Amino acid sequence: MADTVSIPSHPVTPSTILAVELAELVALVDAAPELDPGLKERLRRARDLARGLDPYLEECSTPESPALAALAARTRAERWSERSLVAGSGPLEQEMLSGHVEGQTLKFLVHMTRARRVLDIGMFTGYSALAMAEALPDDGEVVACEVDPYVADLARQCFAESPAGRRIRVEVGPALNTVLRLDGPFDVVFIDADKTGYLDYFHYLIGSDLLAPHGVIVVDNTLLQGEPYSNSGARSTNGQAIADFNRVVAADARVEQVLLPLRDGVTLIRRTSTDAS
């Protein structure tokens, strides 16, 4: 079978990591003439299933707006390896961008919930914030938290080129500090910040009035490259933090949740009652 789908050079999600692993295995077995041709063909099918998934999801999802496409291109053009040396938020990389399919999912959720106020905890260059702002009514608002001033300025520049950008208010500083001083309610909260802080964000949102009674929390990276469920190797600090977060949320009787295998894992959370106490 001809290779028609490119393999990502820097895989950061379970599906792309799997695709790279399978591609390397196919290369190894193809170089071994003594192996059964049927086994080789099965491995090729597995490889093609894995690496064709994400491109097909993009193909079948509503295209991103010109403003989102421009923001993504601007993010890819940045020299993040150099910028990370002076960043106050740790290593920065273009893969931190939410991307087309996840952005479309967030827009869909904002439309479905008829949200008017959205909180974006961990904005990076603003793809998620702009995607959700595009789904808000004219008087809607996204409050976007970002710890790195340079990244925040880059996002503001992109927002200024979009009609929906005026609905976004950027707050610069440690996200938890910002969250603690905000007034609610927010109909949708998107968490994509420091992974070791996820439980703090979750407990505060569920136990306060910041989240609207029927609000939805959307949490990114809850599969974190497969670390929370894989038994192959020790977990990183972030991998352990996500595993702990997933376990605590699953055991919390105050909420119901579903973990979706979208990109690096997205969990949707809502209260089981409208009591915010």
Side-chain angles (χ1 to χ4, degrees):
M1 177 182 292
D3 292 347
T4 57
V5 180
S6 61
I7 298 173
S9 59
H10 186 189
V12 294
T13 68
S15 64
T16 56
I17 292 170
L18 178 61
V20 169
E21 289 287 334
L22 288 169
E24 292 177 356
L25 286 173
V26 167
L28 287 173
V29 300
D30 279 346
E34 71 277 9
L35 291 179
D36 175 37
L39 172 62
K40 295 182 179 183
E41 182 57 30
R42 289 178 65 184
L43 272 174
R44 292 189 193 102
R45 288 201 302 269
R47 174 202 62 188
D48 293 343
L49 281 170
R51 71 181 184 177
L53 177 60
D54 286 354
Y56 190 67
L57 293 178
E58 293 206 15
E59 178 184 337
C60 294
S61 297
T62 300
E64 61 191 354
S65 68
L68 285 171
L71 190 155
R74 176 75 181 274
T75 302
R76 288 191 294 268
E78 285 286 320
R79 296 181 177 180
W80 294 113
S81 59
E82 298 175 8
R83 180 63 206 163
S84 293
L85 297 176
V86 295
S89 54
L92 299 171
E93 54 187 3
Q94 70 176 50
E95 286 79 10
M96 295 170 68
L97 192 82
S98 298
H100 171 204
V101 176
E102 188 170 353
Q104 187 61 29
T105 301
L106 292 170
K107 289 181 68 172
F108 215 95
L109 285 169
V110 170
H111 278 301
M112 286 177 62
T113 58
R114 299 181 180 179
R116 303 188 74 83
R117 294 192 78 213
V118 172
L119 176 60
D120 187 351
I121 303 176
M123 176 184 69
F124 189 44
T125 57
Y127 194 99
S128 57
L130 185 56
M132 292 185 287
E134 289 181 348
L136 287 173
D138 286 340
D139 60 348
E141 179 187 42
V142 176
V143 177
C145 307
E146 174 53 47
V147 68
D148 189 282
Y150 176 85
V151 177
D153 285 343
L154 190 154
R156 289 190 182 102
Q157 294 170 28
C158 295
F159 297 158
E161 299 172 1
S162 166
R166 61 182 177 78
R167 303 185 191 119
I168 304 170
R169 172 162 59 96
V170 178
E171 296 282 350
V172 180
L176 187 58
N177 293 349
T178 301
V179 168
L180 291 175
R181 64 177 171 75
L182 287 176
D183 294 322
F186 289 93
D187 306 298
V188 173
V189 178
F190 181 50
I191 303 176
D192 186 16
D194 52 306
K195 311 314 169 192
T196 55
Y198 272 23
L199 279 173
D200 290 333
Y201 301 127
F202 168 74
H203 286 307
Y204 182 72
L205 288 166
I206 293 299
S208 73
D209 293 330
L210 197 65
L211 182 69
H214 298 285
V216 175
I217 303 173
V218 186
V219 188
D220 200 13
N221 301 116
T222 47
L223 290 179
L224 203 79
Q225 302 180 22
E227 286 191 37
Y229 64 87
S230 174
N231 294 320
S232 58
R235 289 173 179 154
S236 65
T237 300
N238 283 342
Q240 187 60 55
I242 292 297
D244 293 341
F245 173 81
N246 290 341
R247 185 184 66 254
V248 169
V249 172
D252 195 322
R254 298 174 297 173
V255 300
E256 63 179 16
Q257 68 286 329
V258 57
L259 199 168
L260 304 174
L262 170 63
R263 198 169 178 265
D264 202 25
V266 173
T267 298
L268 308 182
I269 304 171
R270 64 177 293 273
R271 293 191 183 100
T272 55
S273 73
T274 58
D275 183 6
S277 63

